[in-house]
Each structure stands twice: as structure tokens, then as C-alpha cells.
Amino acid sequence: MSNSDSSTTKTNGDQFARKGMSNGHASGMGHATVEIQDGKTVVMDDGRKPPLAIVLKFVDVKHTVAIESRFSWSAKRPFQFKRQSAMEKEILHGITGSVMPGEVLAIMGPSGSGKTTFLNLMGGRALRGMSGNITYNDIKYNKALKRRMGFVTQDDVLFPNLTVRETLMYAALLRLPNSLTRSQKIKRAEDAIIELGLERCRDTVIGGPFLRGISGGERKRVSIGHEILTDPSLLFLDEPTSGLDSTTALRIIQVIKNIAQAGRTVLTTIHQPSSRLFYMFDKLILLSEGHPVYFGKANGAMDYYASIGLKPLIAMNPADFLLDIASGNVNDVSIPQELDKSALPNGNDEAIQPPAKDVREYLVNTFNQELAPQERAKLFALESTREELKLAISEKRLWSITWTQQFSILFIRGLKERRHEFLSWLRFVQCIAISLIVGCLWWRSKIQTEAQLSDQAGLVFFIAIFWGMFPLFTAIFTFPLERAMLAKERASDLYRLSAYFMARTLGDLPLDLVMPCIFILIVYFMTNLRVTAAAFFLTTLTVFLDVVTSQGLGFLIGAVMMDVKKATTLASIVMLAFMLTAGFFVQHIPVWMKWLKYVSFNYYVYKLLIKVQYSDGEVYDCGTGCQSVGTSPSFHGIQLGGGGMEAWALLLMVAIYRILAYIALRRMKTGG
């Protein structure tokens, strides 16, 4: 590029912030000055490089989905089932265009027109079933591009119990590279809070359906801040103004506009913007049932439709007009001759609006004849001539921080997120109340007679079963409830799945072991169990082992099913099978079912607790004289003494359940 035509673009973030704050917001990540001179990167005031300018091109993009085959049934032939063959349906039909750095492309269309599908394709999130060509500076999508992309989903997927500051701080610690110190990363998060106008609510929790927190507009800004911490070159937003009032929506779009002006390429779907919002977009794609019916400058859409004979007859929001005609509704719209001929007369010989199908067909055909060739010619004339704009990326996936750092950050974040749930007063009341009830029922129990020994064996059985079921039904909620967050963060390459899994499973242990400690301290001495230091600590360790094993089974069931209702149902069946086949209720179990007790952790926990509490040297009065405790029928033939085999069996189950849970989680489509 010669000096005569060299361009110098200077974008001052503070200037953007002042501009955005005039509307109640500030721009994203903009304290530094961005300079691009002759296509060369100039370091910003704070030492960071500006986002790499990426030209996004898409040529004849189509998307096909497979419709699952189903069985059909007819009342006339109740004993015949016909299987309908699987079919494919094309939902996007050849979309072509481009977006330049500094531009905001709005994707509009009626509900079900394919806006979100198209956005996901551009972001590399739904490439299966796609045909056509999508390039980023003339390079096709690969996983290394994830680092240069930010994706804000329609639903704000955030942890409800974390504050705004904690949410952005942990995102910065996970996403930003080790070239920055911890204090620099935290400062980046603080800068984002200021620039997004979130100072007032920085220490307020995000909140959720049953927890009061920040407002919808603030939540959306947090989601945007979460994505722009790494200065992405490409930013994708799905319905960022959905559910917001017009003023808040204007502020959000102002933030997005300022983000683009910092040198980023921005694509956003939007359903029905106000006229003020509409004219803030640089480019527009209008979709009608997956067909493009307009692509070009947003402020040129009305002129284009006027040139083909479609004009609003009344004062109308441009977005309303465009959505109406894309839906096939031409009420209060002038109709060209081609459509006027298809209009059907009513009883008064007055023409009514033409069928929606004809309107859409006219729009598609006209676009393909009039506008599409021009845009295609512009696209093929567009070349990335500067080598600085070529993506210097490799196919190898690179992580911002080490595995150990990922684990430690996720571990601490998990503790903070779940501390309110695990250490709530309700859980303490529940645990203490159950402990007192159990303590009162078995108050000062003895083993002097067969009946007393049987009662105390029942207490040991209850301890084994209760601390096998309680953690299990808590753990099955873990992965199903965090599926959306896991999919979002893994799609952005925030961390390795193994680091998340280890942090999530180990992070629950300190919190899950608090309640068993309280239970044992109350019940053990109220019920007069074996009062020796060894028996007390071995009982506590056995209960801990019970908790960890059942928790692992809960992780496995949750990871396999990924649905709370299905996981709860399966867990109930598994626990019932383990209890009934362990030999405590039914002595004569069918041979083909006996194997189940050897995979039942309840069986090993109960045996271990019995061996800890009793020994062959103890005697009781059986009515016909004293005999050894080990011969009591209350123990169902359990041999006292030892316990090493049971402990190893439980430790093996702890490992196997978690390994299988990780494999099941790895097989889930979470975007990683």
C-alpha cells in the first residue's frame, strides 16, 4: 500500500466509553488506543495488540438437517407399525455475502427463518450438514480460530450465585494467556466492568429464576463482557436484545456498535428492532424460510424494496416492514404488478393481498436476479491483499493456561458457586433433624440380647443406606444442570474437559463431607455405638467412603442420561436393585441375580461397618446361654474381622464410576 493511499485509523476506547455512556453504557475493552497503519499492527497504549482484522466471507451457504425416522400407527390397523424412512430437509438455501472488520451485520427474519442456524454456521458451531464455503481471511474454519471468536448465546448462561465481578474475574483468569500476570488479568476484568457500565452491580449476584440478582440488561452486558475479555476478532451474538425494553436494547446495541468500531467483525441476529436500532447496523441479511431476500447496507434496504415495487403505504418502522414482507404479509404495502396478478378477488370484486407463498417466491426470485449477482461480484473482487491479515494459526489447539491452573481456578470457582447450596441453613437443619430422630430412636442401644443386637444392626444398615442414597441423588444433578454452561465454555476452549471434571468432582468433596461429620458426631454417641477411638474413626472413614462411592455413581448416571428426570428414575432403579439383591431382605436370591450384590456398594459398606462395630470376642444372651456375636443371625452370615477386601472393593468402585462418568461426558456433544 502506498503512502498516498495509506489510511490511519485511530479509535480511542475512552472516547467510545464516553459516547456509549451517553446512552448509559460504555464500549467493550476500550481504554487503549487502537492504531492500524498501512495494515501493520500497532501496539495499544496498555501494551496489548488490537484484535486481528478478519474478513468473513460466506458463499452459497446451505444447511441440511436429517429428520429422524419414526413409527406410524393407525387405529384401523392397530397391530401394524410402519416405519417412516429418515428424510433430509434444507433449512438454509444458498446465502452469500461478507462482513468486514468494523462492521455490524444484522441477521433478520421471522421466527423459524434460520437466523440462529446461520449464526452458528458462521461461528463454526453447527458445521454438520453444511455445504458452501465459509472463510476467515481466506482460511477455512479450524479449532485454532476459537481463540479469535466470541459467541454470546440468546440465553445468558451464567452461574447464578457468583457476583458480576467474580464472573468476569474467573473468565479472565481462564481465558487470558500466561503472558499476563494474575493482577493484570483481574484488572482487565475490572476494566470490562467499567467499560460496560456495570460498576453499580459489580458485587451483586447474577441471580436466576429463584434468586434475585441483576437485571436482564445487566445480565446481557455481563455475557458480552465474558466474551470480549480476550479481544476477539469475531463476535457473534444471538438475539442480544431479546426480552429487553427499548431503552435497554438501545444501550446493548450501542455497546455492540462500539465493539465493532474497535476493529472487530460483529454478526448478530435480531428479531424486531426499533427504527433507531435498525439504522445502527451496517449490513443486513433478511431471511424468509431460509432463503435470502436481501443482503447489503441496512440503510439501503427500503430503497431496494421501493425499486421493486414494495413500499409501505403508512408510516412504519423499517424492521416491521421488512419482517412483514419476509413473512408474506403485504398489508398496507404497495404491490407490484407481478404480485397484483396473483391477488385473489373477494366478494366485492376488491383485490385482497396475494398468498404469502407467492410473495416469498417473488422476493426470492427478484433478489436472485437483481441484487445477488451484484453482491457476488463484490465478494469475489474482495481480496485480503495484506499479509498481516492472513491468520498465522496452526491446526494444533493451544491453551491459554496450563492444566494445573485450569483445575485450580475451576476448583475455587466451583466452591464459591456452590457454597450457598451446600452450606445453606436448610441443609444443616435437615442433617441435624435426621440425626436427632435417629439418635432418639436408637437411644443408648445395647447388644445384650438378640433383639437388641438386631436393632443395632438395623441402625448400621440405615447409616449405610442413608449415606449411600443422599449423596447419590445430589450428584446426579451435577452434569445435567451444568450442561449449558459446559457446552458454552467448552465451545470457547476455556479449559480441558479433564480439568473441569476433576475440579467438579473433587470440589464437591469438602462440602459433601461436612454433613456426614455432623451426623456421626450426633448419632454415634447418642446410640451408644462402640466407644473406642479406633471404631469411631474407622466408622467415620467408612461413611466417607460410602459418600464418595455413591457420589461417583451419581456422577455416572447424570453424565450418561444428561436429563434430571431420566437420571432420577434410573438412580431409583439401581439403588433398589442394589439393596434387594445384597441379601439383607431376601436370603434365597435366584442364581442369575446373585451377581448384582457383588457390584452393590451398599453390600460392601454394610459389611465394613459391621466388622468395625463388632468382633467375635463379644458375647450376648441368646436366651439359651451366652454366645459369640459373630454367630448372630442378625448379620446374615457376615464373617467378622478383616475388612480389607471390602475397602479395596469400594476404592475400586470410586475409580471405576468416575472413569466411566468421564468417558460418558467426553462422548456428549458439548462443543469441545
Side-chain angles (χ1 to χ4, degrees):
M1 185 178 290
S2 63
N3 292 333
S4 60
D5 60 0
S6 66
S7 61
T8 301
T9 304
K10 230 180 188 183
T11 303
N12 188 281
D14 293 329
Q15 192 175 25
F16 280 160
R18 289 191 295 271
K19 180 180 178 182
M21 287 303 289
S22 66
N23 289 312
H25 274 291
S27 68
M29 304 307 299
H31 278 307
T33 299
V34 180
E35 293 188 5
I36 303 175
Q37 297 179 352
D38 296 334
K40 296 181 179 180
T41 301
V42 179
V43 177
M44 297 187 287
D45 293 343
D46 64 351
R48 290 185 286 126
K49 291 183 178 181
L52 176 65
I54 293 182
V55 178
L56 174 60
K57 301 177 185 177
F58 41 95
V59 181
D60 199 26
V61 172
K62 300 178 181 179
H63 188 63
T64 304
V65 295
I67 301 176
E68 296 182 359
S69 59
R70 296 180 179 180
F71 286 100
S72 61
W73 178 81
S74 173
K76 295 180 179 179
R77 297 180 178 180
F79 300 105
Q80 292 185 8
F81 293 87
K82 293 184 179 180
R83 185 181 182 88
Q84 298 175 345
S85 58
M87 300 176 61
E88 289 189 343
K89 181 180 179 181
E90 190 173 87
I91 57 177
L92 290 179
H93 312 280
I95 305 175
T96 299
S98 65
V99 197
M100 303 293 291
E103 292 181 339
V104 179
L105 170 67
I107 306 164
M108 285 180 56
S111 298
S113 58
K115 300 188 297 296
T116 299
T117 300
F118 178 70
L119 191 74
N120 287 333
L121 289 178
M122 296 299 104
R125 298 196 172 206
L127 297 179
R128 181 177 297 179
M130 188 207 80
S131 63
N133 194 24
I134 303 174
T135 60
Y136 312 81
N137 284 0
D138 300 328
I139 293 178
K140 290 189 175 181
Y141 176 84
N142 61 54
K143 287 185 176 181
L145 268 168
K146 285 184 179 182
R147 299 235 155 261
R148 302 189 183 274
M149 292 181 177
F151 203 106
V152 181
T153 57
Q154 181 175 354
D155 298 323
D156 300 314
V157 183
L158 302 166
F159 285 114
N161 288 309
L162 294 181
T163 65
V164 170
R165 182 180 180 277
E166 289 172 340
T167 298
L168 294 178
M169 181 188 71
Y170 287 122
L173 293 175
L174 286 169
R175 300 180 80 118
L176 298 177
N178 277 331
S179 57
L180 298 176
T181 64
R182 179 183 175 87
S183 60
Q184 287 175 322
K185 293 179 182 181
I186 294 175
K187 184 179 182 301
R188 185 82 67 87
E190 292 289 348
D191 290 343
I193 290 173
I194 295 171
E195 292 159 1
L196 292 169
L198 296 169
E199 303 97 321
R200 184 176 61 86
C201 61
R202 71 168 71 214
D203 294 317
T204 305
V205 295
I206 299 296
F210 305 105
L211 178 64
R212 187 174 182 179
I214 60 178
S215 67
E218 290 167 338
R219 190 177 291 114
K220 182 61 67 178
R221 277 180 278 165
V222 173
S223 296
I224 294 174
H226 196 281
E227 296 301 318
I228 65 173
L229 283 169
T230 55
D231 287 337
S233 299
L234 290 152
L235 183 62
F236 304 92
L237 304 104
D238 191 9
E239 300 280 4
T241 61
S242 178
L244 303 179
D245 61 83
S246 59
T247 302
T248 305
L250 179 63
R251 293 172 178 174
I252 294 294
I253 297 300
Q254 182 63 59
V255 170
I256 295 170
K257 183 72 173 176
N258 294 337
I259 288 170
Q261 289 175 346
R264 299 178 180 88
T265 304
V266 179
L267 287 81
T268 178
T269 63
I270 195 156
H271 184 61
Q272 199 161 8
S274 66
S275 57
R276 288 192 298 175
L277 298 187
F278 179 80
Y279 286 112
M280 292 176 69
F281 300 122
D282 299 296
K283 286 184 176 178
L284 170 69
I285 288 180
L286 183 62
L287 299 178
S288 178
E289 292 189 350
H291 293 277
V293 293
Y294 179 80
F295 174 77
K297 292 184 178 180
N299 58 14
M302 299 298 289
D303 293 337
Y304 164 72
Y305 282 110
S307 69
I308 63 172
L310 290 167
K311 295 181 181 179
L313 298 177
I314 61 174
M316 188 180 296
N317 177 0
D320 293 340
F321 167 76
L322 295 175
L323 289 174
D324 279 349
I325 62 174
S327 302
N329 177 18
V330 288
N331 279 331
D332 301 317
V333 175
S334 63
I335 302 174
Q337 291 183 354
E338 294 88 341
L339 285 175
D340 193 39
K341 293 177 182 178
S342 66
L344 301 176
N346 59 18
N348 299 324
D349 294 330
E350 295 178 356
I352 61 174
Q353 69 171 355
K357 181 180 178 181
D358 291 350
V359 175
R360 282 191 289 264
E361 186 177 345
Y362 172 75
L363 294 176
V364 173
N365 292 336
T366 306
F367 173 78
N368 290 333
Q369 294 171 9
E370 300 288 337
L371 202 56
Q374 300 176 24
E375 295 299 331
R376 190 178 291 268
K378 292 179 184 177
L379 179 65
F380 290 124
L382 182 65
E383 296 182 1
S384 299
T385 56
R386 293 173 291 185
E387 289 299 322
E388 287 81 0
L389 297 184
K390 299 291 184 181
L391 287 176
I393 57 177
S394 65
E395 293 291 337
K396 184 179 179 181
R397 182 185 293 189
L398 300 175
W399 301 97
S400 298
I401 55 178
T402 64
W403 188 96
T404 306
Q405 290 173 318
Q406 291 174 2
F407 169 80
S408 61
I409 294 168
L410 292 170
F411 184 86
I412 296 171
R413 186 183 74 171
L415 289 178
K416 285 195 174 183
E417 161 61 19
R418 295 185 296 279
R419 66 186 185 273
H420 303 289
E421 175 188 353
F422 280 86
L423 301 179
S424 66
W425 66 269
L426 193 61
R427 288 175 68 93
F428 279 104
V429 169
Q430 179 189 34
C431 181
I432 294 172
I434 293 174
S435 302
L436 292 175
I437 292 172
V438 172
C440 291
L441 288 173
W442 277 277
W443 174 258
R444 297 297 180 185
S445 61
K446 299 178 181 179
I447 57 171
Q448 296 177 353
T449 64
E450 177 63 43
Q452 291 175 340
L453 185 60
S454 178
D455 283 348
Q456 199 172 86
L459 169 63
V460 174
F461 179 76
F462 171 80
I463 294 173
I465 296 300
F466 178 73
W467 288 111
M469 294 185 67
F470 190 71
L472 184 144
F473 282 96
T474 301
I476 59 175
F477 290 91
T478 299
F479 298 125
L481 293 182
E482 289 192 3
R483 182 176 186 174
M485 179 63 75
L486 181 61
K488 170 192 169 184
E489 295 184 333
R490 289 281 294 150
S492 300
D493 265 6
L494 257 69
Y495 44 72
R496 295 173 176 86
L497 182 62
S498 57
Y500 164 80
F501 182 81
M502 292 298 293
R504 190 64 181 87
T505 54
L506 294 180
D508 284 347
L509 280 181
L511 301 175
D512 274 335
L513 296 181
V514 172
M515 300 303 169
C517 286
I518 296 173
F519 179 88
I520 293 296
L521 285 172
I522 296 174
V523 169
Y524 200 89
F525 299 104
M526 286 183 69
T527 57
N528 201 32
L529 291 175
R530 194 172 191 178
V531 188
T532 65
F536 175 78
F537 286 111
L538 286 175
T539 300
T540 304
L541 289 175
T542 303
V543 172
F544 284 174
L545 200 54
D546 190 12
V547 169
V548 175
T549 309
S550 65
Q551 190 184 63
L553 180 59
F555 288 145
L556 173 59
I557 295 173
V560 169
M561 305 307 294
M562 275 297 178
D563 181 273
V564 172
K565 290 184 178 179
K566 293 178 181 178
T568 304
T569 302
L570 180 60
S572 302
I573 296 171
V574 170
M575 285 300 295
L576 189 62
F578 281 177
M579 286 191 292
L580 293 179
T581 59
F584 308 133
F585 299 101
V586 182
Q587 296 299 312
H588 303 288
I589 303 173
V591 176
W592 58 275
M593 294 183 69
K594 277 188 175 181
W595 65 272
L596 281 172
K597 79 174 182 179
Y598 297 109
V599 296
S600 167
F601 68 92
N602 300 125
Y603 172 70
Y604 295 107
V605 170
Y606 178 66
K607 287 181 65 177
L608 199 54
L609 286 174
I610 289 294
K611 292 184 177 186
V612 168
Q613 288 296 318
Y614 308 101
S615 64
D616 284 323
E618 294 177 286
V619 295
Y620 72 101
D621 185 2
C622 62
T624 58
C626 295
Q627 63 182 48
S628 173
V629 167
T631 61
S632 171
S634 301
F635 298 151
H636 307 289
I638 295 176
Q639 299 295 319
L640 302 183
M645 185 198 69
E646 289 79 7
W648 280 111
L650 289 171
L651 289 173
L652 186 63
M653 288 182 182
V654 169
I656 290 175
Y657 286 153
R658 280 166 169 75
I659 291 172
L660 292 177
Y662 176 76
I663 293 173
L665 206 61
R666 171 66 68 182
R667 293 173 64 87
M668 293 300 299
K669 300 298 180 182
T670 56

